């Protein structure tokens, strides 16, 4: 049994589908554990939390991770704590998991059908918890005999229904809180990925004394059978920029999923064109929790960086120089013409002063 090292609880989000809204608290880095509250218009609020547990209560895990052979099963527990002032009944469910566009782990909403490890989890339909009490709920993960080796993600959630009235209509709201369940089916791991849809764009600063910026976007697709933690480097225009940024968490991608990265490279002077390269260096978590590296994958890129502002300035300077040269030449020609006219006038005047001999 492994424990996930991260613990981040995300804010609550909501979605209304027809007359049912699904509220799912999603944790960063693959953790769905958290605390939520919900209340109907005329009912006291219900507040609760859900976390992995041992038989005696919460055990400090924030997600569940097991390696199980195909055709075998394993038992585990989670705890539902009622933080409200009255007893409450919580519906329990399991569903396939995925990483959303924001990089956070999520699980399928109740109106969508699971087809993978969300169907491997057996648990009670509901649990009733007294005010301020905690109930430990058992569940079983049963891996089919034909399950493919590798990582399979799901989530377990506890939910309550509430209603909200407005404009004469009542809307049912299902509020869910849960955690991630990662099942690794024993067998050969074959990590693989591809890098594609590489797009680079240079944004010109129309101030010729300021450099521009390059934006590089690309998609990394997990083509193997194990969860990958992605990171790497974009090298272009003499800059090497890491992704994700040092202030961001590592981005996990499940088998068959992809994630689009966007990398900003600041302060790049336009020098007509820049070749570059995207290098993705993934890591894989082994069964004992250690991280192992995978052979990097790379893709080339190219971007035009036309120095239009600088060219306009140079063109303006060239026109100014040409104008000054033309004006100087014109002035010189006028002076030369005036000097020639003066000389001619002088010769005529000297000729009129000469009297011929009789």
């Amino acid at each position: 049994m492994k424990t996930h090292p991260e613990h981040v609880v995300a804010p609550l989000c909501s979605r209304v589908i027809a007359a049912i809204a699904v509220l799912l608290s999603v944790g960063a880095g693959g953790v769905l554990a958290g605390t939520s509250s919900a209340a109907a218009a005329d009912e006291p609020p219900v507040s609760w939390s859900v976390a992995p547990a041992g038989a005696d209560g919460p055990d400090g895990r924030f997600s569940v991770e097991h390696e199980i052979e195909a055709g075998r099963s394993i038992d585990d527990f989670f705890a539902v704590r009622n933080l409200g002032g009255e007893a409450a009944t919580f519906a329990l469910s399991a569903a396939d998991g995925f990483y959303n566009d924001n990089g956070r782990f999520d699980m399928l909403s109740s109106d969508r059908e699971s087809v993978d490890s969300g169907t491997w989890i057996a648990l009670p339909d509901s649990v009733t918890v007294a005010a301020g009490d905690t109930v430990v709920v058992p569940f079983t993960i049963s891996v089919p005999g034909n399950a493919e080796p590798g990582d399979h993600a799901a989530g377990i959630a506890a939910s309550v229904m509430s209603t909200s009235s407005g404009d004469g209509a009542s809307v049912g709201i299902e509020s869910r809180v849960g955690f991630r369940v990662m099942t690794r089916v024993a067998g050969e791991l074959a990590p693989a990925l591809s890098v594609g849809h590489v797009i680079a764009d240079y944004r010109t600063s129309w101030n010729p004394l300021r450099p521009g910026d390059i934006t590089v976007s690309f998609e990394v697709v997990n083509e193997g059978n194990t969860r990958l933690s992605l990171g790497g480097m974009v090298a272009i225009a003499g800059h090497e920029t890491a992704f994700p940024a040092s202030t961001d968490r590592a981005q996990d991608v499940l088998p068959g999923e992809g994630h689009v990265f966007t990398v900003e490279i600041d302060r790049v002077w336009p020098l007509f064109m820049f070749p570059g390269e995207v290098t993705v260096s993934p890591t894989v978590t082994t069964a004992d929790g250690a991280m192992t590296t995978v052979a990097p994958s790379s893709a080339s890129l190219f971007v035009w960086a036309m120095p239009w502002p600088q060219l306009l300035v140079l063109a303006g300077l060239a026109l100014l120089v040409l104008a000054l040269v033309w004006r100087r030449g014109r002035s010189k020609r006028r002076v030369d013409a005036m000097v020639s006219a003066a000389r001619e006038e002088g010769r005529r005047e000297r000729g009129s002063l000469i009297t011929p001999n009789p």
Side-chain angles (χ1 to χ4, degrees), residues 1 53 61 64-69 71-78 92-95 116-125 136-144 154-156 179 181-183:
M1 181 182 301
R61 290 179 294 165
V64 169
E65 301 197 21
H66 292 291
E67 182 171 15
I68 310 174
E69 294 182 1
R72 305 294 295 273
S73 64
I74 192 169
D75 297 325
D76 207 333
F77 303 88
F78 65 94
L92 305 177
S93 62
D116 196 50
S117 59
T119 65
W120 303 350
I121 300 172
L123 73 172
D125 293 333
V136 174
V137 180
F139 69 95
T140 301
I141 305 172
S142 300
V143 179
I156 289 177
F179 57 90
V181 180
M182 182 67 70
T183 302

Side-chain angles (χ1 to χ4, degrees), residues 225-251:
N225 65 353
T226 180
R227 178 185 60 188
L228 297 178
S229 182
L230 301 180
M233 191 80 65
V234 174
I236 191 171
H239 297 256
E240 291 188 346
T241 305
F243 66 90
S246 58
T247 55
D248 296 337
R249 64 184 181 278
Q251 175 61 56

